[in-house]
Amino acid sequence: MPTATHATAGLSKSDMSNIIDDAVDRIDVVRLSDREREVMSMMLKGHSNCSIALNLGITEGTVKIHRRNSYRKLSISSQVELFQMVLGLAVRGQHRATAH
């Protein structure tokens, strides 16, 4: 099975951003609201709570609420677990794309 390093080697920042967005979209879309997916995607791209709040026009407290609700809905408890979940989805998605 390919690792995240193999799957992302040589990709541009734009390509990585698209892979993250695709993986976030595959995270149980029924359970997460559009705003929760936006917050999760921005987190995964390295934005701080403050940066997310400024970009989305919401307060930092609201960002924290969206994070907490997303973690609860996904049955995870940390950003590390979110990264692991999304990397797994991204690697599987990249593997399927290169297999065709």
Side-chain angles (χ1 to χ4, degrees):
M1 172 110 168
T3 65
T5 304
H6 290 103
T8 59
L11 294 175
S12 70
K13 188 174 180 178
S14 175
D15 288 338
M16 280 302 300
S17 181
N18 289 335
I19 289 168
I20 289 169
D21 288 339
D22 290 343
V24 170
D25 285 344
R26 286 197 304 267
I27 295 174
D28 204 343
V29 293
V30 174
R31 285 193 275 174
L32 294 183
S33 71
D34 290 342
R35 182 62 91 186
E36 289 165 345
R37 280 195 303 281
E38 279 182 295
V39 169
M40 295 295 100
S41 179
M42 292 182 78
M43 278 177 43
L44 291 163
K45 293 173 186 173
H47 289 268
S48 66
N49 286 345
C50 182
S51 173
I52 294 168
L54 289 171
N55 278 284
L56 298 180
I58 59 179
T59 68
E60 196 169 342
T62 302
V63 171
K64 291 176 183 178
I65 290 169
H66 286 309
R67 285 180 66 159
R68 184 177 61 238
N69 290 341
S70 298
Y71 287 7
R72 180 182 44 78
K73 289 177 180 182
L74 297 171
S75 300
I76 60 175
S77 59
S78 70
Q79 190 169 349
V80 170
E81 288 179 287
L82 177 65
F83 277 106
Q84 290 171 334
M85 178 184 293
V86 170
L87 277 175
L89 290 169
V91 168
R92 285 193 294 277
Q94 286 297 105
H95 182 65
R96 276 196 295 273
T98 57
H100 291 106

